[in-house]
Amino acid sequence: MKSYLSILKIVLHGRSSGKILLATVFSFTFSIAVILCTFGLMDGFDHLLKSGLRHSSGDILITSKKGFFQVDKILLEAIASVKPLAIAPVIQTEAFALYQGVSKGVLVRGIEADNFSNATGLNVVLPEAGLVIGEELAHALKVGIGDTIALTFGRGNESSESLPTVRSFQVSGLIKHGIYQKDLRMVYLPKKDLAQILDVRDFINLLIITTQNPAKPIESLDIIQKDQQKLRGHLRQEYFVRPFWSEYSFLIEAVKVEKLSISLILQMIVVVAVFNIMAFVIYIMEKKAQDFFFLRAVGLSLKKLMSFWFISIFIVWAVACVGAHILSTFFNWCLANVSFFQIPGEIYVLSSLQIRLDSTAYITVYLVSLVWVLIPGLFGYWRLKQRPIVQGLRQEFS
């Protein structure tokens, strides 16, 4: 360790060497941080999208070609084949929400609060004669808890039922799914109230099935997809069986493709940083060549010199990795707390973004960066090995 520090003092002697080293380490740190943040944003987007969809749709959704249907014994026996953790019957219809001259098209769900919360993991509290609306809808209508809004329901195409039904409800709570469109459109009512308004008695038009714990994130969609296919095989042809992500399947697939392609493109940033390290190696080799050869002439072996060189390379890599982690953590904090970094939900689907990094992402990015940083290290070793001591001493005394 003592010999290493002594050689390091020689290498960093002079103001320019230290400044160039700091600039080189920072550029390498920044390049790794960019790739880490890219991985993290893609994984965070994927996680938040799946989480938001599950919070509104459970794991599997069952609808009927006939529209409204009853949960009969045959249907329950088919559902039992996938061993559900929770079942939530839902009445779903479209309506207009009206408040002080402002109207918005909404999707009204009549739910049993306990069943729905167990099936989706979304805590919905519904008092009598009250409703819960999405946070973005509340912002759009400028509605607060305790305000009264009107819902306008269609009554079909029959001449005697062509006039819409208008009912007033007090807003008893706001809810956040994490997906902008759902937070902007979703309205929850007690199931019995909506059934009375639509006059559908004990019929429903949506059944939510949960087969996995909604409190835990789903790492793989294959498990739910297998349950969905199994359930479809047990049900009659009149039913549609869809997984919770079917509405955004194209977006989930696009994220997977973009994650790989963008990460490959961003390797160019690492290449630029590697060129900076290469330039620093050449600079040190030229400016400190006489010192290196003098040390070798007085007894320092090439093996020790190479040990110093590669230890330095690993230290630069380690410092860059730690710095990249700090920068990615800071950027994640900015996404959550700095308004400048907030994203428009109507464009990016989600109400907010976050960086989500697991051990696989860290290992992948750090190992790839280590491979890149070893290239200038091997280049420096090759330059030292190619020049004999006699040539260096001639340069020293010329």
Side-chain angles (χ1 to χ4, degrees), residues 63-78:
T63 54
S64 174
K65 294 178 182 179
K66 298 178 181 179
F68 285 88
F69 61 95
Q70 285 183 306
V71 182
D72 55 21
K73 184 178 179 181
I74 298 175
L75 181 57
L76 289 174
E77 288 177 352

Side-chain angles (χ1 to χ4, degrees), residues 235-264:
L235 286 176
R236 300 189 296 269
Q237 293 297 318
E238 66 179 274
Y239 293 104
F240 296 107
V241 183
R242 298 178 290 115
F244 71 86
W245 66 86
S246 59
E247 187 179 358
Y248 289 89
S249 57
F250 65 94
L251 191 56
I252 292 174
E253 191 62 32
V255 169
K256 291 181 181 178
V257 176
E258 289 298 321
K259 179 181 176 181
L260 177 61
S261 59
I262 291 177
S263 298
L264 290 175

